[in-house]
Amino acid sequence: MKKIKSKFKHLFISINTTLAIVFMAMIIATIEVIGAYFTRQLEQNSIENFQSSIQVPLIVTNQLSVQLLRDNKRANTNLNRIVSDYSNGTNTISEIIVVDNKDVIRAVSNLNDKSRIGQRVNNFLVKQVTSTGREATKVINDHMVQVTPLTGSNGSANTVGAIYVRASMQGVFNNLRNISFMFLVTSLIAAVMGAILSLVVSHAITKPIEEMQSQALNIADGDYSSQVKIYSNDELGQLGQSFNTLSVRIERSQEESESEQRRLDSVLSHMSDGVLATDRHGNVSVVNQMALNFLNTTKERIINKPIATVLGLKETSQDLISGQKGIVITLHAGTRDEVILHASFSLIKRVTGFVSGSVCVLHDITEQQKNENSQKQFVSNVSHELRTPLTSLHAYIETLNEGAWKDPQVAPQFLQVTQEETERMIRMINELLSLSRMDRGVSKVDLEWVNFNDFVAHILDRFDMIVKTDEKEGKKKYTIKRKLGTQALWVEIDTDKMAQVIDNIMNNAIKYSPDGGVIKVRLQQEQSRIILSIADQGLGIPREDLGKIFDRFYRVDKARARAQGGTGLGLAIAKEIVDAHHGQIWADSSESKGSIFYIALPYEPMSEGDDWDEV
């Protein structure tokens, strides 16, 4: 039962079927209304015609009236003759009865009813006519009874009797039934033809609609290639044309939207800042890769999560969004270095002012903070480094002013210390100026091609002379061992600045090497670079300090370095110079076993064609 109902429901949902049924119903209803009206009119006309056909002629009624006025036996004979002659002349009349004004039967057409002559009639319709003088007609079963009053022949209105005529209407009814049957057959034929026509018309109407429905589903699935076929230039054709135009515009709009989406995705993907977008409840809905890198997480872990929880803040997401203030966030994720982010919030509003979400931009200020801290530390270090010699100078000069300059033993010592501290400050200021020029990019590098083997050997020869001089003066003894090789290694360097780097590292090795220690210098080639290593046998550098020894003013042992006249800028300058040569400098060390400093410079082996002959 449910299946049948479902089928009927589905049937009536179809506009094609609905239109066909409506058209059929309208046609059938129209035919039935017209048929009912036509049949009714035909029936009335048939009855009226039949009634006229059985109407007794005036000449006959006058003859009957004359005979009724005579009231004798001969008159009765004449009445029967007149009635008999009239009834024999018509086929439709079944019975004729003539009565006088006293309702007494005077003549009958049926010979079998002769015995009724002279009797009073019991028919109510006859009595009504004789008493009122008005004609009466009535259909009883399939017969029509017509009673006509008979009046005096001299023109008086007095009723002298009535003539009762009963006629069979079987022929009329048969004709009506035949006509009704023919009308029914023609109605069925018209209904069938109307149904066929309605199906054709409804199909013609619904076919473009079905095609538009199919195209709409295709558009919903992203297929814009098909078009609705235009069958005519009527309203449906114009609708189909409008639908095709709409399809093209939707396709164009979709392409523009996808292009904008790709452009937005590309922008978000290549932004150096992290971007987080939220809905109006503060839950993350969009995130770019840079934000995921900052937060060291995945997209699946933060989508639909409150932004305050994602950023690790105690405030609620609504407070963050409504406040729209910038905040600084410090993130620690496992073994990763500390990341400092500046988070700024802005609202996403519709034209109506409704807030539909927010955007949070994460800017990495780690380096900025480090630079600011480095600058503060640098200023502090410079102040500290300059204050120490200035304090010494002030103390010695004050002592000399108080009369110590007259003492021939104390004065020369104080002046010597004053001179050393002054030279130390000058050296420090010169090194700071050198670093400043490098930072500003105004320090020029005068490059020239140099055989690095000969260059290093020349510097080491100078240190060998210093070793001999120190031995004569009874100072600390040390030995320089070199392993440079015999192959010419031509590199493009600034000889003065690179000599400054090697001098600095050699001086540090000499300072921190024990008496009788060995300093090993080695030069080797590795693929596209050459590496100079300088190893000492000093105290070494703790592992946690290795990454900081090239920072400005950094000292592993501050007291010892200051006592030996160090400024803490030598290795920082060396790193800047090596970086300017597109090289690298690093150190490896073990406590109590010494340190090894490495200098790597880019090197391209020369082929025979690259050599040149001296003229």
Side-chain angles (χ1 to χ4, degrees), residues 378 381-383 385-386 425-440 552-553 567 569 573:
F378 178 75
N381 289 333
V382 171
S383 302
E385 293 295 335
L386 290 176
M425 284 192 296
I426 292 173
R427 186 168 62 253
M428 182 187 302
I429 291 173
N430 287 334
E431 291 176 346
L432 287 172
L433 290 174
S434 178
L435 282 172
S436 176
R437 286 193 293 272
M438 292 180 184
D439 289 341
R440 289 184 287 114
R552 300 172 187 184
F553 293 109
T567 62
L569 296 173
I573 294 175

Side-chain angles (χ1 to χ4, degrees), residues 17 42 54 60 280 313 332 396 481 496 517 588:
T17 307
L42 180 62
I54 65 173
V60 176
R280 62 189 183 92
L313 302 176
H332 301 274
Y396 284 110
K481 289 186 177 181
D496 292 337
D588 191 9

Side-chain angles (χ1 to χ4, degrees), residues 437-583:
R437 286 193 293 272
M438 292 180 184
D439 289 341
R440 289 184 287 114
V442 297
S443 178
K444 295 183 179 180
V445 180
D446 297 325
L447 300 176
E448 58 178 310
W449 287 99
V450 175
N451 185 347
F452 205 67
N453 273 330
D454 294 343
F455 176 72
V456 176
H458 176 71
I459 296 175
L460 295 181
D461 290 343
R462 178 159 46 83
F463 276 97
D464 285 340
M465 295 298 295
I466 296 174
V467 171
K468 293 178 181 179
T469 303
D470 290 344
E471 287 179 353
K472 291 179 180 179
E473 294 177 358
K475 295 182 179 179
K476 180 170 65 175
K477 298 178 181 180
Y478 55 90
T479 304
I480 300 176
K481 289 186 177 181
R482 62 183 76 181
K483 188 177 181 181
L484 303 179
T486 58
Q487 180 184 359
L489 301 173
W490 292 88
V491 293
E492 196 175 16
I493 60 172
D494 185 322
T495 54
D496 292 337
K497 288 183 169 58
M498 192 57 64
Q500 182 182 354
V501 174
I502 299 174
D503 284 345
N504 184 280
I505 297 175
M506 287 296 297
N507 283 325
N508 285 342
I510 293 171
K511 287 178 184 179
Y512 296 108
S513 290
D515 191 14
V518 178
I519 300 173
K520 297 178 181 179
V521 180
R522 182 181 181 184
L523 181 62
Q524 58 184 348
Q525 176 191 353
E526 288 186 0
Q527 295 179 353
S528 61
R529 66 178 183 172
I530 58 173
I531 299 177
L532 176 67
S533 62
I534 302 173
D536 62 48
Q537 296 176 335
L539 297 176
I541 303 171
R543 180 66 58 182
E544 61 272 11
D545 293 322
L546 276 176
K548 303 176 183 177
I549 59 176
F550 296 101
D551 294 344
R552 300 172 187 184
F553 293 109
Y554 187 82
R555 297 188 182 93
V556 178
D557 187 347
K558 294 181 174 59
R560 183 178 178 185
R562 190 173 289 111
Q564 294 181 350
T567 62
L569 296 173
L571 290 178
I573 294 175
K575 185 178 186 304
E576 294 290 341
I577 293 174
V578 174
D579 288 344
H581 286 77
H582 306 291

